Amino acid sequence: MALERTFAMLKPGVLSRHAVGEIICRIERKGFNIVGLKLMRIARPLAEKHYAEHKAKFFFGELVDYITSGPVIAMVLEGEEAIALLRRLCGSTKPLEASPGTIRGDYAMHTNFNIIHASDSPESARREIGLFFAEEEILDWKDGNDVWI
Ligand SMILES: Nc1ncnc2c1ncn2[C@@H]1O[C@H](COP(=O)(O)OP(=O)(O)O)[C@@H](O)[C@H]1O
Ligand SMILES: [Mg+2]
């Protein structure tokens, strides 16, 4: 299994609902190591770059409006198969299709306010980490659990 890094972002609704701790708790409990974390307000150009693949979609404007509407928590998470695992933990894009027990399945009602972003491939992870984090903002540390699992 490959040790990977992925990018996650708690969308503005998480802060509005005072649920940051709960969501991060699930991510930590799953086993990811947090190697980068910051509270930030995304400027429009960065939001447009981040979601560039959706530029032509009908929801693009609303998506950028929402993601820039308040603070977000940006994170770099590390773990074995971290990219695919985090996507499973988040659940499907549409809350109606996200299984109960997943973050979106448990915390979201509407697709445009689906609580969390997670990179969908190694290329996206690399690109998104680079957009949101400078190299020195990512810490290389080990949790020491290798001896237990
Ligand atoms: N049909 C839609 N209507 C409104 N918003 C959407 C729709 N599809 C996607 N979005 C929003 O755009 C974000 C990015 O879409 P996408 O990359 O397809 O999903 P994911 O976040 O699961 O990778 C979604 O998380 C969601 O907030
Ligand atoms: Mg996506």
Side-chain angles (χ1 to χ4, degrees):
M1 285 199 292
L3 188 68
E4 292 176 339
R5 285 180 174 174
T6 191
F7 174 72
M9 180 170 63
L10 308 188
K11 298 184 180 182
V14 183
L15 282 102
S16 307
R17 291 162 64 185
H18 302 266
V20 171
E22 285 175 40
I23 307 291
I24 291 182
C25 185
R26 285 174 170 231
I27 290 169
E28 269 199 297
R29 279 294 180 211
K30 176 69 180 170
F32 293 99
N33 279 359
I34 299 171
V35 296
L37 185 146
K38 59 182 165 183
L39 175 70
M40 59 189 294
R41 183 86 185 246
I42 305 177
R44 226 177 154 83
L46 176 57
E48 287 174 358
K49 244 192 210 170
H50 173 61
Y51 282 124
E53 64 175 308
H54 300 302
K55 213 173 177 109
K57 309 252 175 74
F58 71 92
F59 57 81
F60 184 71
E62 246 180 63
L63 177 59
V64 172
D65 285 348
Y66 172 50
I67 224 69
T68 56
S69 68
V72 302
I73 303 280
M75 286 181 283
V76 181
L77 303 170
E78 189 177 81
E80 303 278 342
E81 315 286 356
I83 299 163
L85 265 184
L86 185 67
R87 290 286 293 190
R88 278 185 70 76
L89 189 66
C90 290
S92 300
T93 305
K94 297 181 178 166
L96 201 58
E97 293 166 10
S99 306
T102 63
I103 292 170
R104 285 167 168 173
D106 288 353
Y107 285 87
M109 293 281 279
H110 302 289
T111 303
N112 24 357
F113 305 127
N114 64 2
I115 287 296
I116 187 165
H117 168 84
S119 306
D120 64 5
S121 67
E123 297 69 42
S124 304
R126 235 185 329 274
R127 188 183 81 88
E128 293 167 0
I129 290 170
L131 278 178
F132 287 87
F133 283 86
E135 198 116 323
E136 63 272 18
E137 292 175 320
I138 302 173
L139 303 189
D140 209 3
W141 67 279
K142 297 291 166 224
D143 60 20
N145 283 328
D146 289 3
V147 293
W148 306 114
I149 53 180

